[in-house]
Amino acid sequence: MVLDAFRLDGRVALVTGANRGIGRAVATALAQAGADLALLGRTDPAETVAVVEALGRRALVVPGDLATAGPDQFADAVESAVAELGRLDILVNNAGIIRRAAAVTHPPQDWAAVLRVDLDAVFHLCQAAGRIMLDQGHGKIINIASMLSYQGGVRVPSYTAAKHAVVGLTRALANEWAAHGVNVNAIAPGYMATDNTAALRADPDRERAIRDRIPAGRWGDPEDLMGAAVFLASDAARYVHGAVLAVDGGWLAR
Ligand code: NAP
């Protein structure tokens, strides 16, 4: 039955940045669908652990700072998830930062920090998980892209560069790994009400301008991404490779 193909019972997922925002909603969705969770991040994800465990699923906390970790640390993080939870079926590269400053004066340290967390960490985690998934002949990788994977944005050149690159990387990996049973795809959230967009929502003119441009007429909630995450993590998406699934209230259609 088709709905069975969406179930994730017995699977193990690693999600980055699941202590709040979109990562918490995605981790919750995967746990609701039956997966056990490894939660990789720098802040204790106690609330997310409680939610996952209340669903009867296991939650493993894997401490790690994506801004400072290198390829070896990411490989260790993935290995510890496999060692503790027995396997790895799903990777969600969710953690991300944004720095707002005009392009002409965009601080070099902001450029470096954003590229490191939003792109370098994504690639190194894809590599580390990909080695395991290619060996076992199956796996699902979901990278979190953005509307700024399509558009230029204003005062966010580092973020736009990183998020465009995330889509390119998703497609590049899909081309290499699809024939080996590994699905690499992305979700492009629209404008979601999280800490990432707090500055935009605190400015009444910007908030109104953005909301007026969204065909759905409202900002998204992290929970709006739950269905897309479960779909791309599941057997229902077995022939979906290199896709970017926009969950944006119609923003791109405008
Ligand atoms: P958020 O509420 O600001 O959460 C960001 C998450 O990333 C937090 O868990 C944070 O952990 C983690 N993180 C940041 N730097 C890290 C580091 N150095 N090491 C480990 N973890 C780190 O943002 P969000 O809106 O949920 O964003 C999640 C993803 O969706 C990001 O990739 C973002 O670019 C993307 N996105 C968001 C929107 C939106 O409208 N909100 C739209 C499109 C795409 P800490 O709590 O430790 O900082």
Side-chain angles (χ1 to χ4, degrees):
M1 299 291 280
V2 69
L3 289 182
D4 295 336
F6 289 82
R7 296 281 331 165
L8 302 176
D9 302 293
R11 312 278 170 83
V12 170
L14 189 156
V15 181
T16 65
N19 57 303
R20 58 191 170 108
I22 290 169
R24 180 189 293 168
V26 168
T28 301
L30 300 181
Q32 286 180 2
D36 293 326
L37 268 298
L39 309 170
L40 172 57
R42 62 182 177 177
T43 300
D44 180 17
E47 284 183 44
T48 309
V49 168
V51 168
V52 170
E53 290 182 345
L55 290 162
R57 311 272 36 109
R58 292 181 293 167
L60 172 73
V61 176
V62 184
D65 185 339
L66 275 58
T68 55
D72 291 345
Q73 285 80 45
F74 288 123
D76 289 347
V78 168
E79 291 296 343
S80 75
V82 174
E84 295 290 326
L85 297 174
R87 52 191 289 154
L88 181 68
D89 306 283
I90 300 154
L91 166 68
V92 182
N93 279 307
N94 162 77
I97 58 172
I98 191 164
R99 299 279 167 84
R100 300 178 197 281
V104 71
T105 51
H106 208 69
Q109 58 270 31
D110 283 0
W111 176 269
V114 170
L115 269 288
R116 199 157 169 85
V117 175
D118 294 9
L119 180 59
D120 294 358
V122 173
F123 177 59
H124 294 308
L125 277 167
C126 284
Q127 263 193 327
R131 283 186 205 108
I132 289 161
M133 292 173 175
L134 292 168
D135 274 355
Q136 68 195 13
H138 66 87
K140 308 281 182 195
I141 295 177
I142 303 169
N143 295 324
I144 302 300
S146 168
M147 293 298 96
L148 299 184
S149 298
Y150 302 90
Q151 300 173 321
V154 181
R155 301 179 72 247
V156 284
S158 50
Y159 186 83
T160 299
K163 291 297 185 180
H164 270 66
V166 163
V167 166
L169 177 63
T170 298
R171 293 176 177 144
L173 298 181
N175 286 335
E176 292 196 35
W177 296 352
H180 304 283
V182 178
N183 302 72
V184 187
N185 293 293
I187 294 172
Y191 284 81
M192 318 299 287
T194 70
D195 296 342
N196 173 293
T197 54
L200 296 179
R201 289 178 292 111
D203 176 339
D205 294 337
R206 279 292 270 145
E207 191 282 327
R208 177 75 194 264
I210 289 168
R211 184 158 39 85
D212 282 350
R213 196 195 175 284
I214 300 171
R218 66 168 176 87
W219 288 66
D221 292 318
E223 289 70 23
D224 291 322
L225 300 167
M226 292 170 84
V230 170
F231 167 57
L232 289 177
S234 75
D235 290 342
R238 67 189 175 199
Y239 199 60
V240 181
H241 293 282
V244 185
L245 177 49
V247 182
D248 64 351
W251 178 275
L252 290 178
R254 185 78 178 233

